[in-house]
Amino acid sequence: MKLTHINLVARDAKALAAFYEAVFQCERMRPARVLSGEKISRGNGLPNSEILSIWLTFPDCDTPFLELHQHAATEDRGVAPVNVTGFGHLAFQTPDLHELITKVLSAGGSKQGEVTNFGTSERPHLITYMRDPEGNILELEQPFCTSEEDQQQSSDRCQSV
């Protein structure tokens, strides 16, 4: 068994896709398509479903992918607090946290928390929570790696010294 995709229901799937493409370098897996009909409604249990579906790959991985759905009829739950039960957040590692924060803000996202060091002063591991333009929570991390660890791991995961 494997996790194949993560689904976010959007008010504007095209705009949300543009955000993830601009900020996180996600790429379209296929052209956007509309899903509708009896099979779709039977499968998701929602009568008369009509869904704009956009699939995006994350950089350097095919699965899981990000599936954005825009239903013809939606129920708005508002902006969920960080501690609401259910889906929590998407987490991304970056070599430059402050650059990624700037990208998120420039593309219409917002701050949720402050940059915090979860490591030590010698081995910082920086994190912050932000939100995409539709209010979904994003955890951004900048881990610390020594030069030897950096050579063993992908360079986009570590802050080298």
Side-chain angles (χ1 to χ4, degrees):
M1 182 180 328
K2 70 177 182 176
L3 176 64
T4 60
H5 66 274
I6 299 157
N7 176 272
L8 296 178
V9 176
R11 290 180 283 285
D12 184 342
K14 290 179 183 176
L16 195 57
F19 171 84
Y20 281 93
E21 290 166 331
V23 174
F24 298 105
Q25 292 78 49
C26 291
E27 294 182 1
R28 303 266 176 132
M29 289 180 66
R30 64 175 194 192
R33 61 176 68 158
V34 174
L35 310 173
S36 63
E38 181 187 347
K39 287 182 182 179
I40 300 299
S41 292
R42 249 188 13 249
N44 68 17
L46 185 65
N48 304 312
S49 282
E50 183 176 315
I51 307 163
L52 173 63
S53 177
I54 300 173
W55 290 6
L56 301 173
T57 58
F58 294 109
D60 301 322
C61 65
D62 296 326
T63 59
F65 63 88
L66 183 60
E67 176 184 52
L68 303 177
H69 276 181
Q70 180 180 331
H71 291 258
T74 60
E75 304 250 347
D76 194 352
R77 69 177 180 172
V79 176
V82 171
N83 63 342
V84 73
T85 58
F87 174 78
H89 62 265
L90 297 175
F92 295 90
Q93 285 189 343
T94 179
D96 188 338
L97 184 63
H98 296 287
E99 178 184 355
L100 188 54
I101 289 169
T102 299
K103 283 183 176 181
V104 169
L105 295 172
S106 297
S110 60
K111 290 175 79 172
Q112 171 65 40
E114 299 297 323
V115 174
T116 305
N117 183 1
F118 273 56
T120 65
S121 56
E122 297 79 33
R123 295 181 62 86
H125 187 106
L126 305 178
I127 70 105
T128 192
Y129 275 30
M130 300 193 74
R131 291 186 182 266
D132 72 18
E134 295 223 359
N136 298 298
I137 300 170
L138 307 170
E139 179 183 334
L140 309 180
E141 300 182 22
Q142 180 179 313
F144 176 89
C145 292
T146 65
S147 347
E148 292 163 359
E149 290 169 332
D150 191 31
Q151 290 172 7
Q152 293 171 2
Q153 299 180 21
S154 172
S155 62
D156 64 354
R157 296 180 48 202
C158 301
Q159 170 191 352
S160 299
V161 290

